[in-house]
Amino acid sequence: MTGWTRIRDLPAPASRRFRDWWDRTHDDSLTEGVPRHSDPAAQAIGVPDKGGTDEIARRVSRSDTRADITALFVERAQAIGCNVHRVGGGSSITDCDEVLQRLLSRITCDTAVVQLGTAADQDMMEQVVRQAGGRIVDAADEDALFAADAGITDVVLAIAETGSIVIRVGDTVGRKAWLVPPVHIAMVRASQVVPDLIDAMERCRFGSDSSATVIITGPSKTADIEGVLVTGVHGPGAVHILLLDDPDSD
Amino acid sequence: MRESSHFSMKQAVDRAVQDREVLQFVSSATQLKYEARKEAFAHDFGHKRYQHLRQLAGRIRQDVVENLDHVLDQFTANAQQAGTVVHRARDARHANELCLQIAKANECRLCVKSKSMVTEEIGLVPDLIAAGIETIETDLGEFIVQLDGDTPSHIVTPMIHKNRASVARAFVRELGVEYTEDPEQLTAIAREYMRGKYRQADLGISGANFLLADSGTAVVCTNEGNADLAVNMPRIHIIVAGMEKVIPGHRELAVFLKLLARSATAQPLTVYTTCLTGPRRPPEQDGPERVHIILLDNGRSAIQADLTSRELLRCIRCGACLNACPVFRNVGGGHAYGAVYSGPIGAAIMPLLQGLETYHELPEASSLCGACYEVCPVSIDLPSHLIRHRREGVDQHLHSWSDRFMYRAWAYVLQHPTLYRGAQSMARWVGRALAGAGSSGGRVPVTQGRSMLPGIVGFHPESVR
């Protein structure tokens, strides 16, 4: 038995049965119910039926199941390099007036592009920017847009798991205000935060009423030159998230 | 038998290992990425759930690949409904012609291009430039590679083989700026330069990471935001994508987005995940007037037709297998492979796309350790494909006569015990001679820092008895 080399010894008896190991590492129930699109039945109905996939994906991929998703969102957004300014106890822009003023003066915002979803928000925000000594410029004016110091937009969703914000391009929010200026300030309401990427996908409805949806996860960055992380390559180098957190609003 | 006429990996590797600095850098950068990726999955999912997720992802992709025509038709119909013009290109030349036609019909002069491996595959940029359309790569890495007239060496981080000094030199030479080695300043210079180009550009070209069949949406993932500018600034936008990029819908997209950025760069998501469904719609303020999607075949339908090879079309080009591969790490990156797609996935897919005769050496550049399979987010069994290519290479007599002679001789010796024993004592003798005390011959060139020890060279059956 103990020959000329230990390698030739018989292996030690397994500490547990193979079946146990298999059951522990291969949970077949998780992929059960995922329809095989190659099934003739699935082909016959034309569209591959995806029922069940999202439920399975949710079970296998929800990374953090804590209940307070707003806190999770703040934590993750900060982890990927966003500045989160949490304003408690209010849901309108006037409530975060003070925070905004401070922020705008800190980034020395002389001109800003403001694109918010509702006319009321838009008016209020423009007022706040003017009070801070800033000038409002129109995104359609390309020279002014490229010279602007900040772009202020709102979002349709925020994703807690990744700390992302989701912008849907429409008639109020365009494609450049959040992309071209060096600073992006995003208004997020706590009620817009969803737990997981999958929840966001469910609500995005690509193409139904908008030609573009963008999920933004932190400031524009690159590590192309010797792996050194640099922010602000093409998009904004700083993303500020104003989180309006009103426990009574919903 | 024919020698590979176009390319010799051996020579390319010999060239690549000359530069010790690059070698060192590529090795440590890929190692870091590999570790970071592992850490990200362990932290966010845990081993077991990660395994489930990649099994699920692999299965979704496999289902798509098996029903590619069907899913593509669905994508095409939905994309057309959203106002996108969908083209199908047979091969590289056809795709390039389509791009040029679109550019000419819209009188485009300046093109801003976002990083895309498939446009590297079809060699689009040289064709555009030859047709008089100025084309700027906008991904910082690709931009620097373009300034140097070089080719990308990694599918995710294209200039992994360059250091900051060479970037600085390229900027001084090509852009006429002052010499600086600070990555932040270099990035700022590139930003300013490219903003000017973006504002003048009338054509944008990008790739797509995913195409969603249920809505006709193209999904582009970038970290820099260059694809967004390339989509949003010019009038016309062209998306060039391999036809296998299609996935059923938005729910599946969540599964793949969870895997893609973590596998590639250990981020939870890429910074900009842009989902484009057609050109701008009337109430919207801005955006491209026309959006074209070119679905590229270029050998993919032949791969799809092969029951064993089609698994390779699952690939989502995350680059995790490149970072994990010990061979890729030690040959100074992708240039040694002499192919658009490098690393294990390149070694498996290039012989299928461009012929085993040209690329039969690539599948041999693997230790078959299985690291690539282990990290693959869509669980492609890469080592088995590499072995299959090797076997086919042998069957087709693609190896040089010296290689074949050597292996034949070895096989013969192994089958004859007397010869084997003789060869062994000879090997031991040679080994002792090489290990000769303190002589420079004791150092084996490929394993610098290690030397042979007398007495443990070879296997000694005699000592056992």
Side-chain angles (χ1 to χ4, degrees):
Chain A
M1 181 82 163
T2 48
W4 42 273
T5 162
R6 300 279 301 162
I7 299 168
R8 286 295 172 87
D9 283 359
L10 288 174
S15 58
R16 59 175 176 272
R17 287 160 55 230
F18 171 76
R19 201 14 73 194
D20 295 340
W21 171 81
W22 180 267
D23 287 343
R24 196 175 57 83
T25 53
H26 296 71
D27 191 350
D28 289 338
S29 69
L30 282 161
T31 42
E32 223 168 67
V34 181
R36 303 284 303 195
H37 297 157
S38 49
D39 286 351
Q43 282 182 12
I45 51 169
V47 183
D49 177 31
K50 300 182 304 300
T53 310
D54 57 338
E55 182 50 38
I56 291 146
R58 185 191 301 277
R59 279 170 57 195
V60 294
S61 60
R62 173 67 60 81
S63 341
D64 198 326
T65 47
R66 85 175 79 157
D68 186 0
I69 53 169
T70 316
L72 178 63
F73 171 68
V74 173
E75 185 190 306
R76 293 288 163 95
Q78 281 169 341
I80 48 144
C82 294
N83 301 294
V84 184
H85 310 270
R86 196 167 178 177
V87 184
S91 61
S92 109
I93 287 166
T94 40
D95 295 319
C96 60
D97 182 35
E98 209 178 301
V99 179
L100 256 176
Q101 297 279 2
R102 242 197 339 254
L103 174 62
L104 290 173
S105 65
R106 204 177 78 207
I107 60 172
T108 55
C109 173
D110 292 328
T111 56
V113 185
V114 179
Q115 292 185 340
L116 296 178
T118 64
D121 280 356
Q122 179 83 20
D123 286 347
M124 273 193 271
M125 184 60 88
E126 289 189 2
Q127 224 160 26
V128 171
V129 173
R130 285 203 192 91
Q131 274 168 18
R135 197 159 50 83
I136 306 292
V137 293
D138 188 7
D141 178 358
E142 212 178 87
D143 289 327
L145 172 73
F146 274 80
D149 298 310
I152 304 175
T153 70
D154 51 12
V155 305
V156 287
L157 288 170
I159 306 168
E161 179 217 358
T162 54
S164 311
I165 48 178
V166 183
I167 284 183
R168 178 183 287 159
V169 171
D171 48 352
T172 52
V173 180
R175 293 164 178 253
K176 291 169 190 167
W178 45 268
L179 180 63
V180 175
V183 176
H184 176 208
I185 301 172
M187 310 282 307
V188 180
R189 291 188 163 83
S191 57
Q192 290 173 316
V193 181
V194 295
D196 197 275
L197 188 62
I198 287 167
D199 306 292
M201 289 293 138
E202 245 2 289
R203 294 187 203 188
C204 275
R205 304 195 316 280
F206 296 125
S208 60
D209 53 0
S210 161
S211 67
T213 305
V214 185
I215 306 169
I216 301 175
T217 313
S220 160
K221 63 180 81 146
T222 183
D224 275 342
I225 301 173
E226 285 193 5
V228 180
L229 189 72
V230 179
T231 57
V233 196
H234 291 282
V239 176
H240 294 270
I241 295 174
L242 272 181
L243 181 62
L244 299 175
D245 190 3
D246 183 9
D248 308 323
S249 68
D250 65 350
Chain B
M1 184 220 60
R2 47 175 292 190
E3 294 277 342
S4 68
S5 45
H6 318 283
F7 164 71
S8 160
M9 184 164 185
K10 201 164 175 299
Q11 282 169 14
V13 171
D14 283 345
R15 258 199 313 277
V17 297
Q18 295 297 314
D19 196 336
R20 315 265 341 153
E21 201 186 328
V22 169
L23 216 56
Q24 195 74 55
F25 181 67
V26 170
S27 172
S28 62
T30 47
Q31 176 89 39
L32 270 175
K33 282 235 165 68
Y34 173 74
E35 298 290 342
R37 178 205 145 276
K38 208 159 69 177
E39 176 58 35
F41 277 116
H43 176 265
D44 291 353
F45 296 107
H47 176 71
K48 188 174 169 183
R49 290 197 316 165
Y50 162 62
Q51 292 300 339
H52 289 148
L53 189 61
R54 70 191 272 262
Q55 275 169 23
L56 177 69
R59 190 154 167 191
I60 294 170
R61 286 292 291 154
Q62 185 70 23
D63 284 349
V64 167
V65 169
E66 277 170 17
N67 298 279
L68 198 54
D69 281 348
H70 176 70
V71 188
L72 269 180
D73 283 346
Q74 197 195 347
F75 170 76
T76 309
N78 286 325
Q80 280 168 343
Q81 201 167 16
T84 311
V85 188
V86 184
H87 311 262
R88 288 200 188 188
R90 283 184 309 278
D91 51 24
R93 189 133 61 97
H94 189 195
N96 292 354
E97 273 168 16
L98 283 168
C99 284
L100 288 176
Q101 269 171 24
I102 296 165
K104 289 221 174 89
N106 295 291
E107 292 170 354
C108 300
R109 297 248 138 263
L110 175 59
C111 165
V112 280
K113 192 182 148 291
S114 154
K115 178 177 157 51
S116 147
M117 282 317 289
V118 79
T119 55
E120 294 287 334
E121 179 187 329
I122 60 177
L124 179 59
V125 177
D127 275 22
L128 284 172
I129 292 172
I133 300 162
E134 189 188 351
T135 307
I136 310 289
E137 292 278 4
T138 57
D139 176 85
L140 182 61
E142 288 271 350
F143 175 66
I144 294 160
V145 166
Q146 189 189 26
L147 285 183
D148 271 353
D150 207 340
T151 53
S153 61
H154 189 292
I155 61 181
V156 175
T157 43
M159 49 163 285
I160 201 164
H161 62 294
K162 285 188 193 295
N163 59 13
R164 60 180 82 185
S166 70
V167 178
R169 282 197 298 275
F171 275 33
V172 172
R173 194 181 64 238
E174 302 290 330
L175 306 179
V177 294
E178 263 183 56
Y179 187 91
T180 169
E181 284 194 3
D182 179 26
E184 278 197 30
Q185 284 181 31
L186 289 169
T187 307
I189 293 167
R191 175 183 166 108
E192 279 317 303
Y193 175 79
M194 281 191 268
R195 293 217 145 188
K197 296 291 180 190
Y198 273 125
R199 293 181 62 180
Q200 294 161 18
D202 36 25
L203 175 66
I205 296 181
S206 69
N209 290 86
F210 304 104
L211 304 171
L212 308 188
D214 69 352
S215 57
T217 302
V219 182
V220 190
C221 302
T222 68
N223 273 330
E224 302 179 1
N226 54 329
D228 295 79
L229 281 168
V231 169
N232 297 342
M233 299 301 295
R235 284 182 292 129
I236 314 292
H237 192 75
I238 305 177
I239 293 166
V240 189
M243 59 191 258
E244 85 285 8
K245 289 278 174 186
V246 68
I247 57 174
H250 60 276
R251 291 176 190 149
E252 285 79 2
L253 178 64
V255 175
F256 292 109
L257 287 181
K258 275 165 184 281
L259 288 163
L260 178 67
R262 286 188 178 96
S263 296
T265 52
Q267 293 168 276
L269 270 183
T270 49
V271 175
Y272 297 96
T273 304
T274 309
C275 310
L276 273 182
T277 319
R280 74 184 267 206
R281 300 175 186 193
E284 291 169 11
Q285 308 168 351
D286 41 20
E289 289 159 20
R290 299 294 293 275
V291 174
H292 297 262
I293 291 185
I294 297 175
L295 298 170
L296 178 73
D297 186 324
N298 206 22
R300 286 165 174 77
S301 52
I303 301 177
Q304 199 262 346
D306 185 300
L307 290 179
T308 6
S309 300
R310 58 166 57 157
E311 184 192 33
L312 290 167
L313 292 181
R314 287 184 198 173
C315 177
I316 57 171
R317 305 277 189 268
C318 65
C321 58
L322 277 64
N323 296 335
C325 181
V327 175
F328 185 88
R329 280 187 200 164
N330 288 298
V331 295
H335 281 169
Y337 291 77
V340 180
Y341 302 110
S342 54
I345 184 64
I349 210 159
M350 285 313 290
L352 294 167
L353 288 175
Q354 316 246 314
L356 193 61
E357 291 185 358
T358 316
Y359 288 115
H360 70 87
E361 285 168 306
L362 264 53
E364 279 148 41
S366 165
S367 60
L368 299 178
C369 62
C372 47
Y373 170 63
E374 199 164 289
V375 298
C376 181
V378 287
S379 50
I380 301 173
D381 188 1
L382 285 159
S384 75
H385 289 277
L386 297 177
I387 293 174
R388 200 161 47 85
H389 288 326
R390 288 183 185 187
R391 191 167 58 227
E392 275 163 24
V394 172
D395 289 349
Q396 293 174 28
H397 303 299
L398 294 173
H399 299 267
S400 67
W401 68 269
S402 52
D403 282 3
R404 286 195 288 156
F405 173 78
M406 212 170 68
Y407 282 109
R408 287 262 168 79
W410 189 16
Y412 186 81
V413 170
L414 282 179
Q415 284 163 18
H416 295 81
T418 331
L419 264 178
Y420 181 72
R421 256 177 239 123
Q424 273 209 317
S425 57
M426 207 152 82
R428 209 158 52 243
W429 183 80
V430 171
R432 280 205 194 106
L434 280 175
S439 79
S440 62
R443 292 204 174 262
V444 181
V446 284
T447 55
Q448 282 186 8
R450 291 176 217 170
S451 61
M452 289 192 189
L453 297 173
I456 59 163
V457 177
F459 166 58
H460 313 278
E462 298 91 84
S463 61
V464 176
R465 289 193 213 109

